[in-house]
Amino acid sequence: MPKKVVTEAERRRRRPTRQGTVLSERLIVQTALRMLREHGAAGLSARRLGAALGADPSTVYRYFAGLDGLTRAIGEELMGRALDSWTATGTWRTDLRSLGLAIHASYLAHPQAAVLTASRVTGRPREIEVDETILGILRDAGFTDTDAVGIYHAFIDLALAFAALDAGALAIKDEVREADEHMWTSTYAHLPPTTHPHIAATAHLLADRMNHSAYPVLLDTLLNGADARLTSTRGQDV
């Protein structure tokens, strides 16, 4: 038999926890984000979360359908934070670019959570609001529905793919990441031109570029293509 869905008001703990707080979905998600930042995905469990909240571990299951439900809520929180930090200007390209950067930045602010959630589709209200916003920007700009969906698909997948990639680098230990970053100057920069002429010729450029995210460059490439597509469509309508 399916588990009964209980409303937020019915689920809410009627008296404070041992720490003097009243539980809510938002408080649990915020606490889970802190635990992910401090301990990584392996450290997130109902037992540890209950201890951090000062509540019985089973309390978490009154708010979410298991840890997977909590994971979806964490992903939604990151999407919501991106949208809250973003302001529309009415210019479709400017708005899409700034929203893409906001999504990327929101996930990178919580790299362990990003690694856990970037590949998930939450189906929750804030995520849906982001999707509606992107499609609205594109359709209002004059893109056909087919083009709007195609660009939306590429846009959101690009943002989340780079969020996962760049967050993965931030989520590893500092000394490991620094060793990886140093490889461009300690190894690649010293490869001889007799065996690796192309790397040797561009080593100084590689060292300057490869430790920075390529997301803004690829985002602009995507928007350039979308702009060209819109111009072509308008030309056909004349």
Side-chain angles (χ1 to χ4, degrees):
M1 178 179 296
K3 184 177 180 180
K4 179 184 175 182
V5 176
V6 184
T7 66
E8 170 76 10
E10 292 174 315
R11 290 193 302 255
R12 184 171 293 154
R13 185 184 175 100
R14 297 184 181 277
R15 57 187 176 82
T17 66
R18 294 188 298 272
Q19 297 178 348
T21 58
V22 176
L23 294 184
S24 66
E25 282 194 5
R26 187 166 182 81
L27 176 62
I28 294 172
V29 168
Q30 291 174 338
T31 304
L33 280 171
R34 176 171 57 82
M35 292 183 65
L36 284 168
R37 183 173 61 251
E38 295 174 355
H39 306 293
L44 183 63
S45 66
R47 180 181 60 80
R48 288 189 174 184
L49 192 54
L53 291 164
D56 188 275
S58 64
T59 303
V60 175
Y61 297 99
R62 292 182 59 81
Y63 290 80
F64 302 100
L67 289 180
D68 187 68
L70 175 58
T71 297
R72 293 175 186 270
I74 292 169
E76 180 197 30
E77 176 70 13
L78 297 181
M79 276 290 183
R81 291 185 182 192
L83 194 60
D84 290 342
S85 70
W86 171 80
T87 302
T89 68
T91 301
W92 75 265
R93 179 170 179 146
T94 299
D95 289 346
L96 273 187
R97 189 178 196 279
S98 60
L99 182 53
L101 294 175
I103 292 170
H104 184 254
S106 178
Y107 277 77
L108 260 61
H110 298 276
Q112 292 82 6
V115 172
L116 185 65
T117 65
S119 63
R120 304 301 303 274
V121 179
T122 75
R124 292 174 65 96
R126 297 310 305 279
E127 179 188 77
I128 292 173
E129 188 178 356
V130 171
D131 296 339
E132 175 71 8
T133 297
I134 297 167
L135 287 167
I137 291 170
L138 292 165
R139 296 182 75 242
D140 289 346
F143 288 95
T144 67
D145 287 352
T146 298
D147 285 345
V149 169
I151 295 166
Y152 156 75
H153 183 194
F155 175 87
I156 198 66
D157 276 11
L158 183 68
L160 293 176
F162 270 95
L165 175 65
D166 296 337
L170 294 175
I172 61 178
K173 293 181 179 179
D174 290 345
E175 59 270 23
V176 176
R177 182 178 66 256
E178 290 168 2
D180 285 355
E181 293 174 349
H182 188 54
M183 204 69 66
W184 296 104
T185 54
S186 66
T187 300
Y188 280 79
H190 298 288
L191 291 172
T194 53
T195 57
H196 301 82
H198 304 300
I199 292 177
T202 60
H204 63 293
L205 298 173
L206 290 170
D208 288 340
R209 290 290 297 273
M210 295 306 295
N211 289 326
H212 300 282
S213 176
Y215 175 61
V217 176
L218 272 295
L219 176 59
D220 285 336
T221 301
L222 172 63
L223 295 176
N224 287 341
D227 200 0
R229 178 63 180 169
L230 183 59
T231 300
S232 174
T233 300
R234 287 172 173 168
Q236 294 171 8
D237 293 338
V238 174

